[in-house]
Amino acid sequence: MTGLVLAGGLGRRMGGEDKGLVELAGRPLVEHVLDALRPQVGTLWINANRNLDRYAAYGHPVVSDTLQGYMGPLAGVLSALQRLQTEFLVTAPCDAPLVAPDLVSRLYDAYISNDADVAVATDGRRQQPVFLLLRADAAPALESYLASGGRKIDTWFSQVRLAEADFSDAPDTFVNVNDPDERQRLEARLLSTAGSRSAAGRDQRTGARMTNAHDPLPAGVDPCDVPGHGHKALRLDEARSRIIAGITPVTGQETVALSESLGRVLAAEVRSTVDVPSHRNSAMDGYALAGGDLPQTGAATLDVVGTSWAGRPFDGAVGRGQCVRIMTGATLPEATDTVVMQEHVRFDGARVVIEAGHHARQNVRPVGEDIRRGELALGAGTLLRPAQLGLLASLGVGEVVVLRRPRVAIFSTGDELRSIGEELALGQIYDSNRYTLQGMLNRLQVEVVDLGVVPDTREATLRAFQSAATQADAIVTSGGVSVGEADYVTETLERHGQIGFWKVAMKPGKPIAFGRFGQAYFFGLPGNPVSVMVTFYQLVQPALRALAGAHDPDPPILVRARCETRLRKKPGRLEFQRGVLERGTDGIYTVRSSGHQGAGVLRSMSEANCFIILPLEQGEVEPGTEVDVQPFAGLV
Ligand code: AMP
Ligand code: MG
């Protein structure tokens, strides 16, 4: 359920003031409504058409009207419906600070029990048409209504199946602020009778934000000190499990053709409706006979009475002392239960001679050998790989219900970055990280939203975050997370989002930021191109798999190899060096450094085929030492 606070109006009766931002009892109206709706919905959005920064500062995505020229609240509703990621949308206006704590459940009940398209609240006498509940699939009808010039909600209602939810016992829900006088009266009332109400709301909100600012994830972590940095850093495995523990998978589902489903994640388990195979068939090319006709000693000679082909069974009868020629996959004739490979028979004219030494029922695939009717074929959360596609095809399944792909927004930060095709001035470089990220993300079956290069300013960084958070489930950025003067990523996250941790004891790759901005998960990777790859593979990829809903069954592939070169390393950080792994003719794996190990050196990365993983406490590596190696081939 997504809640949408409608704050996109023109505020005509408030003298053009942005109504949502009008103060009531010490805080903007919209804040009252957000607080009331937050516990009632999973996702909260704001529809606004101006002062977007101020609305975004609440940490919820801000949706602006997609239609040009203000067209009333329906335009805001449509804009939200068009990008909805949940099944339902519920709306409330930004000027109803006393909205009922069970607004959503009552609207939902009315919707369900009347099998309606739209549910609307009533105060017992009149409908209150900005308190709505609709399903995502209402979008086309609303779109064509607006396109045909319709503006009024009541007129649109006459075109849909409408359910009414009665709030005559909760009239405060509809108390709203239309002009300065009403504002004053309501404020007086709030401050006198329910002063504690708004105060409590505020405390709760601030309290929650403070907790989140410290740590949105389970605590109890044993941080390890990084010498010379003055900050605690997390061990990589702890960082990884904390991130994954904090991720809620996407829930949206879609049906796709089996042939389009590679790399997708099953939304529900699949049980077989058939036996596979559905008929007893031969595992070999040979001769099918009754097991009783096999000789115990010596040899038996049988008449060949026909042939059973795969897909063209033998439809005659097979008697004692008889057999049929049979092909792999062909159905066994009724009276037969055994197949003797053609290589194991001799011919005596038109008859076949079978020696002793065979067993009854050999070389036969029984019905349901692969999978039985009603049996679980694949569990929910299974990542569909080629084998799973084949298995589903063998069950006759042509379409699968899969989870929607996570949307991942990426941007690079840095004043020095130029896009390909632009001239480089002194001190400028091409933005390579977005290409690396695109490449790694494309292999994960996520939808990538590329937001380009963002300059190192506070404003541009916030705008990029806001845009990313309204479009995507996760945001991955590079650069701007160190403590340089122009590093605004962490600052933006601290001010407007929630930050988890931002130092991991790994090299390259420290620091990295993890947190949330609005509803989106955020991964702030370092700027150096190799650090981006290492941190992506070690932290972001497993998190995105979890976000996609996949039960990731693959343990990381590690190989022990003899290191041929000396590797420089200081204790204190887990280090990923780039190497070339080879398997000698003696079957022994060896690895050597692929060259300059600077965090910005992509060449040694592109010439490598593995990471050499050197543990935290490890010092210098002497040639001949055994090391752990992670082949790139296993990294997707
Ligand atoms: P930062 O983390 O922003 O301080 O960046 C660290 C280093 O990575 C600097 O040398 C940057 O110029 C470089 N860098 C940052 N972003 C990119 C990018 N998108 N492509 C290539 N290099 C980058
Ligand atoms: Mg930078």
Side-chain angles (χ1 to χ4, degrees), residues 213-479:
H214 288 302
D215 194 349
L217 298 166
V221 172
D222 164 32
C224 76
D225 246 325
V226 178
H229 265 267
H231 283 271
K232 300 273 186 185
L234 284 178
R235 286 212 311 266
L236 175 64
D237 53 342
E238 292 165 335
R240 190 163 36 220
S241 26
R242 294 181 93 187
I243 290 178
I244 290 173
I247 290 203
T248 309
V250 296
T251 51
Q253 304 183 355
E254 57 185 324
T255 303
V256 298
L258 182 64
S259 54
E260 299 295 314
S261 68
L262 186 68
R264 304 297 297 271
V265 175
L266 269 189
E269 65 177 30
V270 176
R271 288 186 177 271
S272 179
T273 54
V274 292
D275 287 318
V276 181
S278 58
H279 57 283
R280 269 187 329 149
N281 68 89
S282 176
M284 297 288 175
D285 290 341
Y287 292 84
L289 62 150
D293 279 345
L294 289 171
Q296 299 301 311
T297 54
T301 306
L302 290 92
D303 288 324
V304 183
V305 295
T307 302
S308 184
W309 305 89
R312 262 190 295 145
F314 173 73
D315 52 10
V318 183
R320 298 306 297 258
Q322 296 183 331
C323 65
V324 294
R325 172 116 175 82
I326 193 162
M327 306 305 164
T328 305
T331 304
L332 259 76
E334 193 136 325
T336 68
D337 62 2
T338 302
V339 172
V340 176
M341 271 169 81
Q342 63 188 17
E343 290 83 348
H344 295 167
V345 307
R346 282 187 289 112
F347 294 94
D348 175 10
R351 309 173 80 201
V352 295
V353 181
I354 296 173
E355 307 281 346
H358 297 283
H359 307 286
R361 289 179 293 284
Q362 69 182 21
N363 298 328
V364 172
R365 302 163 173 163
V367 168
E369 179 188 52
D370 191 348
I371 186 158
R372 293 199 155 276
R373 180 194 307 245
E375 207 179 317
L376 181 68
L378 295 171
T382 301
L383 183 65
L384 297 177
R385 302 168 202 254
Q388 285 77 22
L389 265 49
L391 177 67
L392 290 168
S394 77
L395 308 180
V397 173
E399 284 186 332
V400 282
V401 184
V402 293
L403 293 173
R404 71 170 175 83
R405 289 191 182 98
R407 271 181 289 274
V408 181
I410 58 173
F411 60 87
S412 296
T413 70
D415 282 337
E416 75 281 28
L417 302 177
R418 287 292 167 276
S419 295
I420 297 168
E422 292 176 354
E423 288 286 319
L424 289 188
L426 184 66
Q428 297 181 333
I429 56 171
Y430 288 118
D431 169 16
S432 57
N433 288 343
R434 271 186 308 132
Y435 291 85
T436 324
L437 280 172
Q438 280 268 9
M440 295 186 292
L441 288 166
N442 283 341
R443 291 193 164 182
L444 290 180
Q445 282 278 341
V446 298
E447 280 177 33
V448 180
V449 183
D450 185 348
L451 297 178
V453 173
V454 174
D456 289 321
T457 68
R458 198 166 276 135
E459 299 70 34
T461 308
L462 178 60
R463 264 201 309 278
F465 264 100
Q466 288 165 344
S467 160
T470 48
Q471 300 182 61
D473 305 292
I475 308 168
V476 182
T477 67
S478 66

Side-chain angles (χ1 to χ4, degrees), residues 52 62 92 96 99 145 195 213 226 236 301 341 433 450 472 500 502 590 607 623:
L52 303 185
V62 177
V99 60
Y145 174 68
V226 178
L236 175 64
T301 306
M341 271 169 81
N433 288 343
D450 185 348
W502 61 292
T590 58
E607 288 174 1

